[in-house]
Amino acid sequence: MTLLPTIKQLLSMEAVGQPVIIRGWVRTKRETKQAIFIEVNDGSCLSNIQCVLDSSLEKNQSIAETILRLSTGASVEIHGELVPSPAKGQKVEVKCQQIKLIGEAPSERYPLQKKAHSLEFLREIAHLRVRTNTFAAVARVRNRMAFAIHQFFQERGFYYIHTPIITTSDAEGAGAMFQVTSLDIEELSKSGTLIDYDKDFFGRKAFLTVSGQLNVETYCQALSRVYTFGPTFRAENSNTTRHLAEFWMIEPEMAFAHLDDNIALATEFIQYLVATAIRDCAEDVAFFDQRIQPGLRESLERIVQSSFARMSYTEAIRELEASNANFEFKPYWGCDLQSEHEKFLTEKVAGGPLVVTDYPKEIKAFYMKQNEDGKTVAAMDVLVPRFGEIIGGSEREWRLDLLEKRMEELGLDKEPYQWYLDLRRYGSTPHSGFGLGFERLLLYITGMTNIRDVIPFPRAPRQADF
Ligand code: 4AD
Ligand code: MG
């Protein structure tokens, strides 16, 4: 099969005088005395291609009938010739010779007949919303960013590791996991007996993973530079515009690397992705800048050019305490930074992306490297304006005795973590890594405000349709 050029390819080729075949969906139809103008979009880019049909063709009965049934959303195949466009806004258009209606979209029923729809309404028709400019643009940017992530790491000698989705350990050391079982829980609930996990599929309790980190660390201790990029699951009941129950995470891990190397990698990574979006998704970014978040493009350009600000958690708390801002949660040393605090720090104090380091050990995961002060760990979060945390990471505790001691303090059962502790028993190295939430990155780059709008089929509390 030879693939026809897409509308994106045709518009960039400007192959005037060539016969062309257009296949796509009608966006608008406009009739004047002389001609019928049909805007067709195939999703390959934001732009439609204008197809012009001479009114005289309507004398043909079947063409006239086709035109009548052509409405927004209908799929068509158009044969014609690419010609220079006399109208503004496009260099070329298609002079139609033949038009075929492939699939109708009756205007009295098609939900996207109207031009403007609220994002809330579109969320209820997730199977159709990608036919709008906004969601198609998000899909294209998402695609380009996924590819850029692989390019970034592959260019720097990182190996892509597939970590498991099903796990028996809780990577972050704190609840909120989805349980996976093959037991018939309805039957069990009827019988009223205690659950015997020995009879479950894995012979023990199993879950959907919250992070690929612990597994990717094993490969890090052999391949030196690795990353995982896959779906992760969190059952926390946070019904916010920043949380999903199923989201994608990118987690690089570097052997022989300390916190500063980690921060340098995270900074370069974000700047690389933003620069790629500006360069390769220019049309979509311009659309977001115009329609979704005025000033977006300029703010993205600033990110590429300037270094990220950096401060310790202790300094951050001092800033918050000194601010006199009206926070819902009063900040104090030892508190977990709330999104309102993060936004304040990055928007009001740093005026751009901010790396906060050295958090109290009590509010961070067990595997983080303990600092000399005995109170903090070598953690780093990257915060950005508009929604706060986009990256969370740390140097890892690579000293067996200190890691075991920390696990004991936290009351963690060490038995399921023996394989993880082996990494510290044999050829242990200092190592560091972080996790970037893919959808948070997309919020940042597209200017969209609700995380449910940057993933095709969002999973959130009471939301798993489609
Ligand atoms: O800070 P988190 O929990 O870090 C980890 O999972 C580490 N194991 C990462 C590592 O060091 N390898 O999550 C990392 C990032 C957050 O900064 C955020 O961007 C995103 O994942 N994230 C979520 N995104 C959407 N919905 C949620 N419920 C998210 N929870 C975290
Ligand atoms: Mg975090």
Side-chain angles (χ1 to χ4, degrees):
M1 178 194 172
T2 48
L3 295 169
L4 292 175
T6 62
I7 291 175
K8 180 181 183 184
Q9 289 164 335
L10 285 176
L11 291 175
S12 69
M13 278 177 351
E14 296 174 27
V16 170
Q18 298 278 323
V20 290
I21 300 175
I22 308 291
R23 288 173 181 153
W25 292 269
V26 173
R27 279 297 171 82
T28 58
K29 179 179 75 175
R30 187 166 56 85
E31 298 190 47
T32 66
K33 275 217 179 86
Q34 297 78 30
I36 300 142
F37 299 90
I38 304 161
E39 295 276 338
V40 179
N41 187 282
D42 68 357
S44 57
C45 61
L46 188 80
S47 296
N48 305 323
I49 198 157
Q50 175 163 285
C51 301
V52 188
L53 209 88
D54 198 292
S55 291
S56 63
L57 285 172
E58 274 194 293
K59 288 196 191 109
N60 177 321
Q61 182 75 18
S62 92
I63 292 193
E65 264 170 34
T66 300
I67 301 290
L68 218 62
R69 283 153 62 206
L70 271 190
S71 55
T72 301
S75 56
V76 286
E77 179 174 309
I78 290 170
H79 294 236
E81 185 191 329
L82 208 61
V83 298
S85 176
K88 261 202 208 143
Q90 74 243 345
K91 288 201 185 115
V92 291
E93 60 184 31
V94 176
K95 196 171 160 216
C96 299
Q97 277 129 18
Q98 223 191 80
I99 180 158
K100 244 192 287 180
L101 175 64
I102 309 287
E104 274 185 84
S107 54
E108 59 296 353
R109 292 201 299 276
Y110 183 53
L112 298 173
Q113 185 60 35
K114 226 174 47 164
K115 255 204 146 166
H117 300 276
S118 72
L119 295 170
E120 290 76 20
F121 168 74
L122 292 171
R123 235 167 267 145
E124 285 165 19
I125 48 166
H127 59 304
L128 295 175
R129 66 178 180 170
V130 67
R131 299 178 184 206
T132 63
N133 282 339
T134 305
F135 287 90
V138 167
R140 284 185 296 266
V141 172
R142 189 175 169 112
N143 163 75
R144 185 65 191 90
M145 289 299 97
F147 184 43
I149 284 158
H150 288 295
Q151 285 178 309
F152 176 84
F153 288 119
Q154 299 289 328
E155 284 164 8
R156 285 160 184 77
F158 284 72
Y159 290 101
Y160 178 32
I161 311 301
H162 295 111
T163 49
I165 304 285
I166 299 176
T167 175
T168 52
S169 62
D170 176 357
E172 295 305 296
M177 300 180 89
F178 288 101
Q179 197 173 339
V180 176
T181 180
S182 60
L183 295 173
D184 186 338
I185 45 177
E186 270 175 42
E187 274 307 309
L188 281 171
S189 77
K190 274 184 224 152
S191 74
T193 51
L194 281 181
I195 297 172
D196 179 5
Y197 282 104
D198 199 44
K199 296 213 173 73
D200 202 352
F201 192 91
F202 300 102
R204 62 203 290 181
K205 265 192 181 184
F207 308 92
L208 293 178
T209 188
V210 296
S211 157
Q213 179 197 324
L214 301 195
N215 289 94
V216 95
E217 277 188 54
T218 65
Y219 272 64
C220 173
Q221 293 306 318
L223 303 186
S224 298
R225 281 180 223 166
V226 295
Y227 68 105
T228 173
F229 179 10
T232 46
F233 308 85
R234 299 196 182 178
E236 55 207 338
N237 201 0
S238 19
N239 229 327
T240 77
T241 53
R242 307 178 311 279
H243 291 90
L244 287 166
E246 175 180 302
F247 64 99
W248 288 63
M249 190 163 32
I250 302 100
E251 296 181 273
E253 196 71 33
M254 298 178 286
F256 306 101
H258 300 279
L259 194 67
D260 286 347
D261 306 306
N262 210 20
I263 292 171
L265 183 76
T267 307
E268 198 184 332
F269 185 38
I270 300 246
Q271 287 179 324
Y272 178 96
L273 295 175
V274 171
T276 303
I278 294 172
R279 190 190 62 229
D280 292 353
C281 306
E283 191 188 30
D284 291 324
V285 169
F287 169 82
F288 291 122
D289 184 75
Q290 237 173 44
R291 298 294 187 82
I292 303 290
Q293 187 84 235
L296 175 74
R297 205 199 137 91
E298 207 189 303
S299 78
L300 292 178
E301 271 160 2
R302 266 204 311 275
I303 286 149
V304 179
Q305 283 142 18
S306 46
S307 55
F308 291 10
R310 180 175 164 169
M311 68 172 67
S312 69
Y313 168 91
T314 304
E315 289 168 303
I317 292 294
R318 236 178 264 139
E319 288 285 353
L320 292 170
E321 282 174 338
S323 76
N324 292 323
N326 219 344
F327 295 119
E328 191 187 336
F329 296 93
K330 196 174 180 301
Y332 60 92
W333 201 97
C335 77
D336 208 351
L337 291 186
Q338 301 294 322
S339 155
E340 56 173 346
H341 303 143
E342 295 179 340
K343 273 166 51 181
F344 180 88
L345 290 168
T346 168
E347 288 168 7
K348 301 287 189 312
V349 182
L354 169 68
V355 187
V356 178
T357 63
D358 304 296
Y359 285 73
K361 64 179 179 189
E362 282 76 18
I363 59 170
K364 289 292 184 188
F366 75 95
Y367 52 69
M368 294 192 180
K369 188 185 161 226
Q370 296 155 58
N371 287 330
E372 298 288 305
D373 63 13
K375 293 190 300 202
T376 61
V377 286
M380 56 143 223
D381 275 10
V382 180
L383 315 180
V384 294
R386 297 208 328 261
F387 56 86
E389 180 185 344
I390 191 168
I391 280 182
S394 75
E395 185 166 347
R396 316 307 186 191
E397 185 52 83
W398 63 289
R399 300 160 294 187
L400 180 66
D401 51 338
L402 288 171
L403 182 57
E404 285 193 302
K405 204 166 138 253
R406 185 72 191 129
M407 292 175 84
E408 282 156 22
E409 276 169 20
L410 291 169
L412 281 176
D413 178 8
K414 280 191 281 178
E415 189 275 324
Y417 292 99
Q418 286 309 314
W419 59 271
Y420 187 69
L421 293 169
D422 267 356
L423 304 177
R424 278 75 181 163
R425 289 189 183 109
Y426 313 119
S428 190
T429 73
H431 61 289
S432 303
F434 61 80
L436 167 68
F438 190 40
E439 286 74 22
R440 299 236 178 132
L441 170 81
L442 291 170
L443 285 180
Y444 193 45
I445 286 180
T446 61
M448 298 291 286
T449 47
N450 192 321
I451 199 160
R452 296 167 202 214
D453 295 337
V454 293
I455 186 163
F457 300 103
R459 267 76 180 109
R462 309 197 70 79
Q463 186 176 26
D465 309 329
F466 308 103

